[in-house]
Amino acid sequence: MEGKSSAGDIITFLGTGGARIMVATQILASGGLWLNLSGTEILLDPGPGCIVQSTKRKLGGDKLSAIILSHRHLDHSADVNIMVEAMTQGGFKRRGWLFAPADALETEPVIFSYLKDYLEGIEVLQEGKSYSVGNISLATPIRHIHPVETYGMVFTTTEHTFAYIADSRYFDGLCHNYGSELLIINVVFLEPRPTIDHLSVADAKHIITELKPKVAILTHFGMSMWRAKPWEIAQRLSQETGVRVLAARDGMRFDLSQLDNLEEAD
Ligand SMILES: [Zn+2]
């Protein structure tokens, strides 16, 4: 205990696996990120297994204020229906918000229509907008290049800022819109695969070098990343970029108060 009175900001990784084969095999879990920010609990990208990963860590869905989907792909949204039920105590309590891009909600919605009535409301994520949940604000500065409508986010809590670069092909906008103390970045590929809209290690290195956060956390690993030992890649990137780079682990809790005594890289 550090004796601080504030509620603090903690991110729990309910999974670090990404893309189809990894998620289908569950070698790494795929439950998304559970944010506890100044006492406001938010679930980000509840992929397959989120309900299992969260309950086994005693994270209660009924504590959530919002569920956010960066995009509709299965590894980011599969458990959204059960998590809406958990957030609303089976629909007995109308509460909580869902944030998602329009294409996750329109022609083929990822959420069942009967569950929508359980929510306080649904907010459609759009490029260049910002939103609030309790005392937290989040912005979706730029649409990503990905087969479906996708946004990353910048969160501002009472004490910290952090950014989440969700799935995307590399483009320069990723280096200009996610300035923050902590950068979480979805790195599916070890080597660049130009025909597929995901980031590789080389892309991540470039983005981290440009954005210079205090800490960067790699996650959402495909098979090639996993075989290459993400923690070794993170160590190498730390040396090459001068930024402290970590590889997320399933179940890892990152306390943002760790950022308070770090200077940003030169
Ligand atoms: Zn995706």
Side-chain angles (χ1 to χ4, degrees):
M1 298 298 285
E2 295 180 331
K4 284 189 180 171
S5 58
S6 101
D9 296 321
I10 292 177
I11 298 172
T12 304
F13 290 81
L14 297 176
T16 57
R20 283 164 282 181
I21 305 301
M22 182 57 89
V23 173
T25 57
Q26 291 288 300
I27 291 169
L28 294 170
S30 53
L33 304 179
W34 193 288
L35 315 177
N36 189 333
L37 306 174
S38 314
T40 299
E41 298 190 39
I42 298 171
L43 175 61
L44 183 52
D45 281 350
C50 180
I51 186 69
V52 175
Q53 298 297 331
S54 56
T55 51
K56 91 175 180 191
R57 295 185 173 83
K58 309 244 181 315
L59 296 166
D62 58 342
K63 302 284 191 318
L64 288 169
S65 296
I67 299 171
I68 304 174
L69 309 182
S70 65
H71 65 298
R72 62 172 296 134
H73 278 156
L74 201 59
D75 50 338
H76 299 255
S77 71
D79 271 13
V80 66
N81 287 295
I82 183 60
M83 294 314 295
V84 167
E85 278 214 344
M87 180 164 71
T88 59
Q89 296 177 32
F92 289 107
K93 208 164 176 193
R94 188 182 183 115
R95 62 182 297 278
W97 290 81
L98 175 67
F99 294 79
D103 88 340
L105 301 166
E106 287 170 356
T107 42
E108 186 189 36
V110 297
I111 177 164
F112 296 134
S113 52
Y114 76 92
L115 291 172
K116 288 184 186 172
D117 296 335
Y118 297 174
L119 293 161
E120 248 175 283
I122 296 178
E123 284 264 20
V124 178
L125 296 176
Q126 289 178 288
E127 183 174 73
K129 291 265 174 89
S130 52
Y131 309 85
S132 60
V133 181
N135 50 358
I136 303 309
S137 76
L138 65 116
T140 44
I142 194 164
R143 183 174 173 165
H144 286 192
I145 302 175
H146 202 54
V148 297
E149 188 180 359
T150 305
Y151 300 99
M153 282 139 224
V154 180
F155 290 87
T156 305
T157 79
T158 54
E159 292 173 271
H160 301 106
T161 59
F162 70 94
Y164 168 58
I165 297 186
D167 298 2
S168 186
R169 165 185 291 278
Y170 176 82
F171 65 106
D172 287 342
L174 298 178
C175 296
H176 302 139
N177 288 283
Y178 291 107
S180 55
E181 293 172 280
L182 169 68
L183 175 66
I184 298 170
I185 182 165
N186 286 356
V187 187
V188 170
F189 294 136
L190 181 64
E191 302 292 344
R193 290 179 65 181
T195 57
I196 305 180
D197 292 338
H198 275 298
L199 297 173
S200 66
V201 171
D203 297 325
K205 178 181 168 183
H206 179 67
I207 293 165
I208 293 166
T209 305
E210 292 290 315
L211 287 172
K212 294 192 187 344
K214 290 181 177 176
V215 172
I217 302 179
L218 315 179
T219 188
H220 210 57
F221 307 126
M223 280 297 191
S224 62
M225 278 296 285
W226 179 239
R227 289 196 193 105
K229 302 189 174 84
W231 55 95
E232 290 184 2
I233 291 163
Q235 197 171 29
R236 195 184 85 216
L237 289 183
S238 296
Q239 286 159 359
E240 292 174 356
T241 63
V243 172
R244 190 164 159 232
V245 182
L246 307 173
R249 299 279 202 155
D250 285 356
M252 182 173 98
R253 280 162 48 94
F254 185 86
D255 184 338
L256 276 74
S257 67
Q258 290 177 55
L259 303 168
D260 298 346
N261 301 318
L262 293 171
E263 294 301 319
E264 271 156 70
D266 296 325

